[in-house]
Amino acid sequence: MAFATRLFSRSTRQVYNGQSILRLEHATSARSFAKGAGSVPPSLKGDEMLKGIFLEVKKKYETAIGILRKEKITIDPDNPAAVSDYAKVMKTVREKADLFSESQRIKYTIETRTQGIPDARTYLLTLKEIRIKRGLTDDLGAEAMMINALDKVEKELKKPLMRNDKKGMAILMAEFDKINQKLGIRREDLPKYEEQLEHKISKAQLEELKKDALEAMDTQKKREEFKDEEMPDVKSLDIRNFI
């Protein structure tokens, strides 16, 4: 137990729906530092503004820690039940602390990165860059289909498709509807895709946590005072005892 205590006391989708993405509003203003922090009155400047941001972030942090101190997390990424429980805990943390989910972060990234992009091709290429940087995979080949659809529309128009071209965009949307139908993607299923994404992320986070714990235990095991202690099973560790 001493070994575990020392260990943790140190520090404790992919489906891009082309239609829904292209319909995201692209003219958005920059949001505040933290989601839910609220707009800062014009009269608040300098230190007052920083103080407001700090207090809001501090509140979110304390809310999150308060939940993690109560909920049991089993570090077992190979156990579907443990992954599901972890995902539920993190969902509660996000809801109570008013934090972005991964899907919301992706949407916000798209909104900010694509703001002011005038043409559809650059927009789609930017979406691809975002997907790659977020570590998401295009298993269905949707991106290639979307680009092919854009090629077809621009060939018909005989010019690059601009996003303010309502008629041209309507034609592209119709092509995207065909792609969605072919891939079996329905707009009403988007919440399911978001849930699958969060589950995938939860598994990855547990895997990373397990890796970090094993590396930390290995480091501690090399220390003289722990050389005779048996290494605990990562799954037996209760993070609540070390927060």
Side-chain angles (χ1 to χ4, degrees):
M1 182 61 184
F3 184 87
T5 302
R6 286 290 294 276
L7 166 66
F8 277 86
S9 62
R10 291 172 57 195
S11 61
T12 44
R13 86 202 38 131
Q14 149 58 62
V15 177
Y16 262 119
N17 184 330
Q19 183 173 351
S20 64
I21 289 176
L22 275 180
R23 284 179 179 170
L24 288 173
E25 293 295 331
H26 64 86
T28 58
S29 58
R31 298 188 182 184
S32 55
F33 176 76
K35 175 177 177 284
S39 58
V40 180
S43 60
L44 294 182
K45 296 182 180 180
D47 291 345
E48 291 184 25
M49 182 183 298
L50 291 176
K51 180 180 178 181
I53 293 174
F54 171 79
L55 291 176
E56 184 64 24
V57 173
K58 180 175 180 287
K59 178 181 178 181
K60 293 175 184 294
Y61 171 79
E62 291 175 343
T63 299
I65 291 298
I67 295 171
L68 294 175
R69 281 175 176 157
K70 297 178 181 179
E71 300 291 343
K72 176 71 168 64
I73 293 176
T74 302
I75 308 176
D76 187 5
D78 298 320
N79 183 344
V83 175
S84 179
D85 289 342
Y86 176 78
K88 291 177 182 177
V89 171
M90 298 314 294
K91 181 178 181 180
T92 299
V93 169
R94 290 194 302 271
E95 291 176 345
K96 297 295 184 180
D98 194 22
L99 302 172
F100 277 143
S101 66
E102 183 64 17
S103 298
Q104 290 171 325
R105 280 194 290 268
I106 292 173
K107 179 180 178 181
Y108 176 59
T109 300
I110 290 174
E111 290 174 344
T112 54
R113 283 283 308 278
T114 60
Q115 184 176 358
I117 292 179
D119 64 288
R121 185 172 299 276
T122 301
Y123 187 94
L124 291 180
L125 293 176
T126 301
L127 294 186
K128 182 177 181 179
E129 291 178 5
I130 293 172
R131 175 185 64 77
I132 294 174
K133 288 183 178 180
R134 304 293 305 191
L136 301 174
T137 58
D138 180 20
D139 298 326
L140 299 178
E143 284 176 346
M145 294 182 186
M146 291 162 66
I147 290 296
N148 288 339
L150 177 59
D151 290 339
K152 177 182 177 182
V153 172
E154 289 188 335
K155 185 176 181 180
E156 293 177 1
L157 296 175
K158 297 181 180 180
K159 63 178 182 180
L161 176 59
M162 308 305 288
R163 294 174 66 199
N164 62 0
D165 181 346
K166 294 183 179 181
K167 182 177 180 180
M169 289 298 292
I171 297 174
L172 183 62
M173 291 303 171
E175 292 295 325
F176 284 171
D177 283 339
K178 295 177 184 178
I179 293 174
N180 290 337
Q181 185 175 7
K182 181 178 180 179
L183 296 177
I185 298 173
R186 301 185 305 170
R187 187 176 183 85
E188 55 266 33
D189 289 336
L190 286 178
K192 179 181 70 175
Y193 300 141
E194 293 177 359
E195 183 178 346
Q196 292 173 349
L197 174 60
E198 296 299 334
H199 189 274
K200 179 179 179 181
I201 291 171
S202 294
K203 180 177 175 63
Q205 289 177 342
L206 279 182
E207 289 173 343
E208 189 65 22
L209 186 57
K210 179 179 179 180
K211 177 183 175 183
D212 290 343
L214 290 174
E215 289 179 353
M217 283 192 287
D218 185 60
T219 299
Q220 293 281 39
K221 186 68 175 178
K222 296 175 182 178
R223 299 183 61 172
E224 183 66 23
E225 64 264 41
F226 295 126
K227 66 178 184 179
D228 296 326
E229 286 203 37
E230 182 179 355
M231 184 179 297
D233 186 343
V234 174
K235 291 181 287 187
S236 69
L237 299 174
D238 191 339
I239 297 177
R240 293 174 296 182
N241 295 328
F242 313 107
I243 295 179

Short mmCIF file of all heavy atoms in Angstrom, two decimals, residues 184-219:
data_model
loop_
_atom_site.label_atom_id
_atom_site.label_comp_id
_atom_site.label_asym_id
_atom_site.label_seq_id
_atom_site.Cartn_x
_atom_site.Cartn_y
_atom_site.Cartn_z
N GLY A 184 -25.06 5.03 -45.21
CA GLY A 184 -25.97 4.70 -44.12
C GLY A 184 -25.92 5.69 -42.98
O GLY A 184 -26.21 5.36 -41.82
N ILE A 185 -25.53 6.92 -43.29
CA ILE A 185 -25.43 7.97 -42.27
C ILE A 185 -26.71 8.79 -42.25
O ILE A 185 -27.13 9.32 -43.26
CB ILE A 185 -24.24 8.90 -42.55
CG1 ILE A 185 -22.93 8.11 -42.50
CG2 ILE A 185 -24.20 10.05 -41.56
CD1 ILE A 185 -21.73 8.91 -42.92
N ARG A 186 -27.31 8.87 -41.07
CA ARG A 186 -28.52 9.66 -40.92
C ARG A 186 -28.29 10.74 -39.88
O ARG A 186 -27.63 10.51 -38.87
CB ARG A 186 -29.69 8.77 -40.47
CG ARG A 186 -30.02 7.64 -41.44
CD ARG A 186 -31.25 6.89 -40.98
NE ARG A 186 -31.10 6.40 -39.60
CZ ARG A 186 -32.10 5.89 -38.89
NH1 ARG A 186 -33.31 5.82 -39.41
NH2 ARG A 186 -31.87 5.45 -37.66
N ARG A 187 -28.82 11.91 -40.15
CA ARG A 187 -28.62 13.05 -39.24
C ARG A 187 -29.10 12.73 -37.83
O ARG A 187 -28.47 13.12 -36.84
CB ARG A 187 -29.36 14.27 -39.78
CG ARG A 187 -29.05 15.54 -38.99
CD ARG A 187 -29.72 16.74 -39.63
NE ARG A 187 -29.38 17.96 -38.91
CZ ARG A 187 -28.29 18.67 -39.12
NH1 ARG A 187 -27.42 18.26 -40.02
NH2 ARG A 187 -28.05 19.77 -38.44
N GLU A 188 -30.21 11.97 -37.73
CA GLU A 188 -30.75 11.65 -36.42
C GLU A 188 -29.85 10.69 -35.63
O GLU A 188 -30.03 10.49 -34.42
CB GLU A 188 -32.15 11.05 -36.53
CG GLU A 188 -32.25 9.84 -37.45
CD GLU A 188 -32.63 10.22 -38.88
OE1 GLU A 188 -32.24 11.31 -39.32
OE2 GLU A 188 -33.33 9.41 -39.52
N ASP A 189 -28.86 10.09 -36.32
CA ASP A 189 -27.94 9.17 -35.64
C ASP A 189 -26.69 9.87 -35.11
O ASP A 189 -25.83 9.22 -34.50
CB ASP A 189 -27.51 8.05 -36.60
CG ASP A 189 -28.63 7.07 -36.89
OD1 ASP A 189 -29.54 6.97 -36.06
OD2 ASP A 189 -28.58 6.42 -37.95
N LEU A 190 -26.58 11.18 -35.34
CA LEU A 190 -25.38 11.90 -34.91
C LEU A 190 -25.10 11.76 -33.40
O LEU A 190 -23.95 11.58 -33.00
CB LEU A 190 -25.48 13.37 -35.29
CG LEU A 190 -25.30 13.69 -36.78
CD1 LEU A 190 -25.47 15.18 -37.03
CD2 LEU A 190 -23.94 13.21 -37.26
N PRO A 191 -26.13 11.81 -32.53
CA PRO A 191 -25.86 11.61 -31.09
C PRO A 191 -25.21 10.25 -30.82
O PRO A 191 -24.35 10.15 -29.93
CB PRO A 191 -27.25 11.71 -30.45
CG PRO A 191 -28.01 12.59 -31.38
CD PRO A 191 -27.54 12.20 -32.76
N LYS A 192 -25.60 9.23 -31.59
CA LYS A 192 -25.01 7.91 -31.41
C LYS A 192 -23.54 7.92 -31.80
O LYS A 192 -22.69 7.33 -31.12
CB LYS A 192 -25.76 6.88 -32.27
CG LYS A 192 -25.21 5.47 -32.16
CD LYS A 192 -25.97 4.50 -33.05
CE LYS A 192 -25.68 4.76 -34.52
NZ LYS A 192 -26.33 3.75 -35.40
N TYR A 193 -23.22 8.62 -32.90
CA TYR A 193 -21.82 8.72 -33.33
C TYR A 193 -20.99 9.47 -32.29
O TYR A 193 -19.84 9.11 -32.03
CB TYR A 193 -21.73 9.44 -34.67
CG TYR A 193 -22.47 8.77 -35.80
CD1 TYR A 193 -23.16 9.52 -36.76
CD2 TYR A 193 -22.51 7.39 -35.91
CE1 TYR A 193 -23.84 8.91 -37.79
CE2 TYR A 193 -23.20 6.76 -36.94
CZ TYR A 193 -23.87 7.53 -37.88
OH TYR A 193 -24.55 6.93 -38.90
N GLU A 194 -21.58 10.51 -31.71
CA GLU A 194 -20.87 11.28 -30.68
C GLU A 194 -20.60 10.41 -29.45
O GLU A 194 -19.52 10.48 -28.85
CB GLU A 194 -21.69 12.50 -30.29
CG GLU A 194 -21.82 13.54 -31.41
CD GLU A 194 -22.70 14.71 -31.04
OE1 GLU A 194 -23.23 14.70 -29.90
OE2 GLU A 194 -22.86 15.63 -31.85
N GLU A 195 -21.58 9.58 -29.10
CA GLU A 195 -21.40 8.68 -27.96
C GLU A 195 -20.30 7.66 -28.24
O GLU A 195 -19.48 7.36 -27.35
CB GLU A 195 -22.72 7.95 -27.66
CG GLU A 195 -22.65 7.05 -26.44
CD GLU A 195 -23.98 6.38 -26.13
OE1 GLU A 195 -25.01 6.82 -26.68
OE2 GLU A 195 -24.00 5.41 -25.34
N GLN A 196 -20.26 7.15 -29.46
CA GLN A 196 -19.21 6.20 -29.84
C GLN A 196 -17.83 6.86 -29.78
O GLN A 196 -16.85 6.24 -29.35
CB GLN A 196 -19.48 5.65 -31.25
CG GLN A 196 -20.71 4.76 -31.33
CD GLN A 196 -21.06 4.37 -32.76
OE1 GLN A 196 -20.50 4.92 -33.73
NE2 GLN A 196 -21.98 3.44 -32.92
N LEU A 197 -17.77 8.11 -30.20
CA LEU A 197 -16.51 8.84 -30.16
C LEU A 197 -16.05 9.03 -28.73
O LEU A 197 -14.87 8.81 -28.41
CB LEU A 197 -16.67 10.20 -30.84
CG LEU A 197 -15.47 11.16 -30.76
CD1 LEU A 197 -14.23 10.53 -31.40
CD2 LEU A 197 -15.79 12.48 -31.43
N GLU A 198 -16.96 9.44 -27.84
CA GLU A 198 -16.60 9.63 -26.44
C GLU A 198 -16.15 8.32 -25.80
O GLU A 198 -15.23 8.29 -24.97
CB GLU A 198 -17.78 10.22 -25.67
CG GLU A 198 -18.20 11.62 -26.11
CD GLU A 198 -17.09 12.65 -25.94
OE1 GLU A 198 -16.21 12.45 -25.06
OE2 GLU A 198 -17.11 13.66 -26.65
N HIS A 199 -16.78 7.22 -26.19
CA HIS A 199 -16.40 5.90 -25.65
C HIS A 199 -14.99 5.53 -26.11
O HIS A 199 -14.17 5.02 -25.33
CB HIS A 199 -17.41 4.84 -26.10
CG HIS A 199 -17.22 3.51 -25.42
ND1 HIS A 199 -16.35 2.55 -25.88
CD2 HIS A 199 -17.79 3.00 -24.29
CE1 HIS A 199 -16.38 1.50 -25.08
NE2 HIS A 199 -17.24 1.74 -24.11
N LYS A 200 -14.70 5.80 -27.37
CA LYS A 200 -13.37 5.53 -27.92
C LYS A 200 -12.32 6.35 -27.19
O LYS A 200 -11.23 5.86 -26.87
CB LYS A 200 -13.36 5.85 -29.41
CG LYS A 200 -12.02 5.61 -30.09
CD LYS A 200 -12.10 5.94 -31.57
CE LYS A 200 -10.74 5.73 -32.25
NZ LYS A 200 -10.82 6.08 -33.70
N ILE A 201 -12.64 7.61 -26.93
CA ILE A 201 -11.71 8.49 -26.23
C ILE A 201 -11.51 8.03 -24.79
O ILE A 201 -10.39 8.05 -24.27
CB ILE A 201 -12.23 9.93 -26.26
CG1 ILE A 201 -12.15 10.48 -27.69
CG2 ILE A 201 -11.45 10.82 -25.31
CD1 ILE A 201 -12.84 11.80 -27.87
N SER A 202 -12.58 7.58 -24.15
CA SER A 202 -12.48 7.09 -22.77
C SER A 202 -11.54 5.89 -22.69
O SER A 202 -10.72 5.79 -21.77
CB SER A 202 -13.87 6.70 -22.25
OG SER A 202 -14.69 7.84 -22.14
N LYS A 203 -11.65 5.00 -23.64
CA LYS A 203 -10.76 3.83 -23.67
C LYS A 203 -9.31 4.26 -23.85
O LYS A 203 -8.41 3.76 -23.16
CB LYS A 203 -11.17 2.89 -24.81
CG LYS A 203 -10.31 1.63 -24.93
CD LYS A 203 -10.82 0.71 -26.03
CE LYS A 203 -9.88 -0.47 -26.23
NZ LYS A 203 -9.81 -1.33 -25.02
N ALA A 204 -9.08 5.21 -24.74
CA ALA A 204 -7.73 5.70 -24.99
C ALA A 204 -7.15 6.37 -23.74
O ALA A 204 -5.97 6.22 -23.42
CB ALA A 204 -7.72 6.66 -26.16
N GLN A 205 -8.00 7.11 -23.02
CA GLN A 205 -7.54 7.79 -21.81
C GLN A 205 -7.19 6.79 -20.72
O GLN A 205 -6.21 6.97 -19.99
CB GLN A 205 -8.61 8.77 -21.32
CG GLN A 205 -8.77 9.99 -22.22
CD GLN A 205 -9.88 10.90 -21.77
OE1 GLN A 205 -10.77 10.51 -21.01
NE2 GLN A 205 -9.89 12.13 -22.27
N LEU A 206 -7.99 5.74 -20.61
CA LEU A 206 -7.68 4.71 -19.62
C LEU A 206 -6.39 3.97 -19.98
O LEU A 206 -5.61 3.61 -19.09
CB LEU A 206 -8.84 3.70 -19.51
CG LEU A 206 -10.04 4.10 -18.65
CD1 LEU A 206 -11.07 2.98 -18.62
CD2 LEU A 206 -9.60 4.45 -17.23
N GLU A 207 -6.18 3.75 -21.26
CA GLU A 207 -4.94 3.10 -21.71
C GLU A 207 -3.74 3.97 -21.36
O GLU A 207 -2.69 3.46 -20.92
CB GLU A 207 -5.00 2.84 -23.22
CG GLU A 207 -5.97 1.74 -23.61
CD GLU A 207 -6.14 1.61 -25.11
OE1 GLU A 207 -5.76 2.57 -25.83
OE2 GLU A 207 -6.66 0.56 -25.55
N GLU A 208 -3.87 5.28 -21.55
CA GLU A 208 -2.78 6.19 -21.24
C GLU A 208 -2.54 6.24 -19.73
O GLU A 208 -1.39 6.29 -19.27
CB GLU A 208 -3.12 7.59 -21.76
CG GLU A 208 -1.98 8.59 -21.68
CD GLU A 208 -0.80 8.25 -22.57
OE1 GLU A 208 -1.00 7.50 -23.55
OE2 GLU A 208 0.31 8.71 -22.27
N LEU A 209 -3.63 6.23 -18.96
CA LEU A 209 -3.52 6.25 -17.51
C LEU A 209 -2.84 4.98 -17.00
O LEU A 209 -1.98 5.03 -16.10
CB LEU A 209 -4.91 6.39 -16.88
CG LEU A 209 -4.98 6.56 -15.36
CD1 LEU A 209 -4.18 7.78 -14.92
CD2 LEU A 209 -6.42 6.70 -14.92
N LYS A 210 -3.19 3.85 -17.59
CA LYS A 210 -2.57 2.58 -17.22
C LYS A 210 -1.08 2.60 -17.56
O LYS A 210 -0.24 2.16 -16.76
CB LYS A 210 -3.26 1.43 -17.96
CG LYS A 210 -2.66 0.06 -17.65
CD LYS A 210 -3.39 -1.05 -18.39
CE LYS A 210 -2.76 -2.40 -18.09
NZ LYS A 210 -3.47 -3.51 -18.82
N LYS A 211 -0.75 3.12 -18.73
CA LYS A 211 0.64 3.20 -19.15
C LYS A 211 1.45 4.06 -18.19
O LYS A 211 2.55 3.69 -17.76
CB LYS A 211 0.72 3.78 -20.56
CG LYS A 211 2.14 3.98 -21.08
CD LYS A 211 2.13 4.63 -22.46
CE LYS A 211 3.54 4.93 -22.93
NZ LYS A 211 3.53 5.63 -24.26
N ASP A 212 0.90 5.23 -17.84
CA ASP A 212 1.59 6.14 -16.92
C ASP A 212 1.78 5.50 -15.55
O ASP A 212 2.84 5.65 -14.92
CB ASP A 212 0.81 7.44 -16.77
CG ASP A 212 0.85 8.29 -18.04
OD1 ASP A 212 1.72 8.04 -18.89
OD2 ASP A 212 0.00 9.20 -18.17
N ALA A 213 0.75 4.78 -15.08
CA ALA A 213 0.83 4.14 -13.77
C ALA A 213 1.90 3.06 -13.76
O ALA A 213 2.68 2.94 -12.81
CB ALA A 213 -0.53 3.56 -13.40
N LEU A 214 1.93 2.25 -14.82
CA LEU A 214 2.93 1.18 -14.90
C LEU A 214 4.35 1.74 -14.96
O LEU A 214 5.27 1.20 -14.33
CB LEU A 214 2.65 0.30 -16.13
CG LEU A 214 1.40 -0.59 -16.04
CD1 LEU A 214 1.16 -1.29 -17.37
CD2 LEU A 214 1.55 -1.61 -14.91
N GLU A 215 4.52 2.82 -15.71
CA GLU A 215 5.84 3.44 -15.81
C GLU A 215 6.26 4.02 -14.46
O GLU A 215 7.43 3.90 -14.06
CB GLU A 215 5.82 4.54 -16.87
CG GLU A 215 5.72 4.03 -18.30
CD GLU A 215 5.67 5.14 -19.32
OE1 GLU A 215 5.57 6.32 -18.91
OE2 GLU A 215 5.73 4.84 -20.52
N ALA A 216 5.32 4.63 -13.76
CA ALA A 216 5.62 5.21 -12.45
C ALA A 216 5.96 4.11 -11.45
O ALA A 216 6.89 4.24 -10.64
CB ALA A 216 4.44 6.04 -11.96
N MET A 217 5.22 3.00 -11.51
CA MET A 217 5.49 1.89 -10.60
C MET A 217 6.86 1.28 -10.88
O MET A 217 7.59 0.90 -9.97
CB MET A 217 4.39 0.84 -10.72
CG MET A 217 3.10 1.22 -10.02
SD MET A 217 1.93 -0.14 -9.87
CE MET A 217 1.36 -0.28 -11.56
N ASP A 218 7.19 1.17 -12.14
CA ASP A 218 8.49 0.62 -12.51
C ASP A 218 9.61 1.49 -11.99
O ASP A 218 10.65 0.99 -11.50
CB ASP A 218 8.58 0.50 -14.03
CG ASP A 218 9.86 -0.18 -14.48
OD1 ASP A 218 10.10 -1.34 -14.10
OD2 ASP A 218 10.65 0.46 -15.21
N THR A 219 9.41 2.82 -12.07
CA THR A 219 10.42 3.75 -11.55
C THR A 219 10.56 3.63 -10.05
O THR A 219 11.68 3.59 -9.51
CB THR A 219 10.04 5.21 -11.92
OG1 THR A 219 9.98 5.34 -13.34
CG2 THR A 219 11.06 6.19 -11.36
#
